[in-house]
Amino acid sequence: MNTLNVGLVGTGFMCKAHSLAYAAMPMFFWPAPTLPCRKIIAGTSTSSAREAASRFGFERSTADWREVIADPTIDIVDITTPNSTHAEIAIAASRAGKHVICEKPMARTALEAEEMYKAVKLAGVVNMVAFNYRRIPAIVLAKRFIEDGSIGRLLNFRGTYLQDWSASPQTPFSWRFSRSASGSGALGDIASHVLDIAEFLVGEVSAVQAMMQTYVPDRPIVPRSDHNIEISENQQPSARAMVDVDDEVLTLLRFRNGTVGTLEASRNAFGRNNYLTFEIHGTEGSICFDYERRDELQVYFEDDPHDRKGFRTINTGPAHPYGESLWPIPGIGIGYGEIKIIECYEFLKAVSNHSRCEPDFRQGYQIARIADGISDSARTKSWVEIPALKD
Ligand SMILES: NC(=O)c1ccc[n+]([C@@H]2O[C@H](COP(=O)([O-])OP(=O)(O)OC[C@H]3O[C@@H](n4cnc5c(N)ncnc54)[C@H](O)[C@@H]3O)[C@@H](O)[C@H]2O)c1
C-alpha cells in the first residue's frame, strides 16, 4: 500500500483532531486508500512544535511552516492555524505542488478565499476545506432522502448553531475575537458550518438579509489562555482587549432554487454547547437534525398511513453512509473524532485518485462570498444578492 507524507501546520485543537484522524483512518477504512505518514509538524516555537511532534506522532518538527512547504518529501500540507494564516500557507503550499487541506473558514474574506481558489486551480493540486459536519452519517442520509424525493420539493431550511463558550464577559480574549486574526466572529467560526450544510443539502444561496450583534465589547487578556477556559478568581486580569467581531449573527436566506431559510449562530447562548441543528420542510415531509444527538435523524413522511404519521427517529449505523466502516451496532455512538476520520478518509481517497474532493476551495470560496454578503447586509440593513459563481 502506498504512503503519503503529511506536513501539518498548527499545534492546537484542530491539530489534535487531524492527527487523531491520520492515525485512526486506516483502522476504520480498510483497505485504506493510502497510509498517511505524519512526517513534520510546524508550530510557533521550537519547543511547542517539538512537544506537539511527540504528542501527536510526527517524526519531525519545526518552528517555521515554510520548512514544511520546502520539504520535497511532503505530499500534503494540512493547515490548522488561525484564519489569518490560511491564505499565505495554502497559496505557498499549492505553488510547491502540495495537496492542501485547510481548516474552515477558508479565509477571512472572499477576496483572500478567491486567491486561494485560483492558486490550487492553477497548481492542479487536490484541495479541501474542513467543513467536517457535512460528513456526519445522519446528514449524508438526509441528503439521500432529499435527492430521492422522500420529502418532495424543498420549501424551507432553518439552521442554528449555538454555543456558550464566550457568553461570559470573563471568557479571555483570543484570536477568535480579533478581526485581523479571524475575519469575523460567530459568522466565520460557526455560521459558516451551517452555510456549508445548507449549500450541501439545499443548494446555492442567492441572497441574504442579516443582523449581527456584539454583546461583549472587550475581554480580559490572560497570557496563554485557551479560548474556552474562563479565568479563575486568583487569576484576575489586569487589562482587557477590544472585541471587533460579532458574537451573534442572524440571517434570512434565499436559495437559487426558490427555497427560503433562516440561520442563527451565537457563541453567547448560555446552556448551548454545540447546538448545531437544522430542520428542512418539503412538500412531502420533513427532516430534523441536532448535532448533540448526532447518531439520530428525525424524519416525517407525509405518505405514511394516517394512523402512523409523525416524526420517526432513525439511529444511524452499519446500514447508513460510512456505517460499515464505523461501528457494527446502530446508535452505538460516534463523536467528533469519527467525523474527522471520515473527512480524512475522503481527502486521502481524493489525493490517491487525484480526484475532486468536496467541499473544495471553490466551495470554501462560495461560503466566504456568502459570509461577506451577510456582513454587508448587516451593515447596510438591506438584502444582498450573491451572484452565481461562474467557474
Ligand atoms: N472544523 C471544525 O469543526 C473546527 C473547530 C475548531 C476550529 N476550527 C478551525 O481550525 C483553525 C484552528 O483553530 P483551533 O481551534 O485549532 O485554534 P487553536 O488556537 O487551538 O490552535 C491554533 C494553533 O495554530 C498555531 N499557530 C498560529 N500561527 C502559526 C504559525 N504561523 N505557524 C504555525 N503554527 C501557528 C498556534 O500556536 C496554535 O497551536 C481555525 O481556522 C478554526 O476556525 C475548525
Side-chain angles (χ1 to χ4, degrees):
M1 189 168 289
N2 74 323
T3 59
L4 287 170
N5 291 332
V6 178
L8 189 142
V9 190
T11 56
F13 174 20
M14 281 305 105
C15 159
K16 182 199 241 179
H18 289 217
S19 303
L20 170 78
Y22 291 120
M25 186 277 289
M27 301 178 205
F28 285 85
F29 292 91
W30 193 259
T34 182
L35 291 176
C37 174
R38 281 162 285 157
K39 214 62 181 176
I40 183 167
I41 185 163
T44 48
S45 72
T46 307
S47 60
S48 69
R50 193 177 296 138
E51 186 184 342
S54 19
R55 180 175 173 195
F56 300 116
F58 285 79
E59 289 177 11
R60 288 183 289 125
S61 63
T62 173
D64 183 359
W65 60 265
R66 288 170 190 82
E67 206 180 303
V68 176
I69 312 281
D71 184 337
T73 69
I74 294 300
D75 302 296
I76 289 169
V77 171
D78 186 337
I79 304 168
T80 69
T81 43
N83 309 345
S84 55
T85 62
H86 293 184
E88 189 183 7
I89 302 172
I91 292 168
S94 51
R95 282 183 185 153
K98 316 292 187 194
H99 306 293
V100 189
I101 171 169
C102 180
E103 261 304 338
K104 52 47 62 181
M106 189 164 133
R108 289 172 295 185
T109 61
L111 204 63
E112 265 185 353
E114 185 179 15
E115 293 306 312
M116 295 164 76
Y117 168 48
K118 281 181 183 163
V120 292
K121 207 160 70 159
L122 189 69
V125 295
V126 177
N127 53 93
M128 186 170 86
V129 186
F131 282 117
N132 37 256
Y133 292 116
R134 67 153 71 190
R135 308 285 177 204
I136 296 169
I139 295 188
V140 183
L141 182 62
K143 185 161 174 74
R144 284 191 189 169
F145 284 137
I146 291 167
E147 284 182 347
D148 72 12
S150 297
I151 64 163
R153 181 171 55 80
L154 302 189
L155 300 174
N156 56 52
F157 170 91
R158 294 184 163 79
T160 57
Y161 200 157
L162 307 180
Q163 297 183 328
D164 66 357
W165 60 267
S166 78
S168 165
Q170 297 307 100
T171 299
F173 188 80
S174 75
W175 65 265
R176 285 181 159 83
F177 298 106
S178 152
R179 179 172 301 277
S180 67
S182 61
S184 63
L187 173 58
D189 194 13
I190 53 177
S192 63
H193 277 297
V194 184
L195 290 171
D196 178 64
I197 290 170
E199 289 239 330
F200 178 55
L201 295 179
V202 180
E204 268 184 36
V205 172
S206 60
V208 294
Q209 161 90 67
M211 288 192 293
M212 291 164 86
Q213 305 281 340
T214 303
Y215 297 117
V216 182
D218 52 50
R219 291 186 179 275
I221 297 170
V222 178
R224 298 185 60 79
S225 64
D226 191 311
H227 75 263
N228 55 3
I229 296 173
E230 286 192 19
I231 53 168
S232 63
E233 276 172 22
N234 56 5
Q235 204 188 5
Q236 282 304 318
S238 55
R240 298 179 74 89
M242 272 254 314
V243 171
D244 58 359
V245 296
D246 54 292
D247 290 323
E248 180 164 314
V249 55
L250 303 128
T251 188
L252 297 174
L253 302 167
R254 257 197 262 123
F255 294 84
R256 226 168 289 291
N257 60 13
T259 308
V260 295
T262 58
L263 187 171
E264 286 176 70
S266 178
R267 304 191 293 201
N268 289 44
F270 273 129
R272 292 298 185 194
N273 302 138
N274 202 48
Y275 189 70
L276 167 54
T277 70
F278 63 79
E279 184 153 332
I280 299 175
H281 302 275
T283 52
E284 312 285 336
S286 300
I287 293 176
C288 300
F289 173 80
D290 171 358
Y291 177 81
E292 291 176 359
R293 303 185 69 89
R294 71 193 73 84
D295 300 293
E296 297 177 3
L297 191 69
Q298 300 252 312
V299 289
Y300 174 99
F301 299 124
E302 176 57 11
D303 62 3
D304 276 349
H306 282 300
D307 60 349
R308 314 232 165 143
K309 275 194 206 301
F311 273 100
R312 71 177 85 153
T313 302
I314 300 173
N315 275 310
T316 54
H320 301 111
Y322 304 113
E324 281 185 4
S325 300
L326 294 169
W327 304 108
I329 300 169
I332 200 168
I334 61 159
Y336 189 75
E338 284 91 334
I339 298 163
K340 281 297 195 188
I341 290 164
I342 298 170
E343 173 179 86
C344 176
Y345 162 71
E346 289 291 359
F347 180 63
L348 293 178
K349 191 172 63 172
V351 173
S352 299
N353 302 334
H354 210 93
S355 58
R356 184 167 173 239
C357 183
E358 297 197 17
D360 63 10
F361 276 23
R362 183 182 189 277
Q363 288 158 307
Y365 169 42
Q366 167 69 359
I367 300 301
R369 294 170 77 231
I370 303 168
D372 275 14
I374 288 173
S375 296
D376 290 348
S377 165
R379 200 184 56 254
T380 59
K381 298 186 172 63
S382 58
W383 277 96
V384 168
E385 302 290 323
I386 316 291
L389 192 50
K390 289 286 179 271
D391 60 11

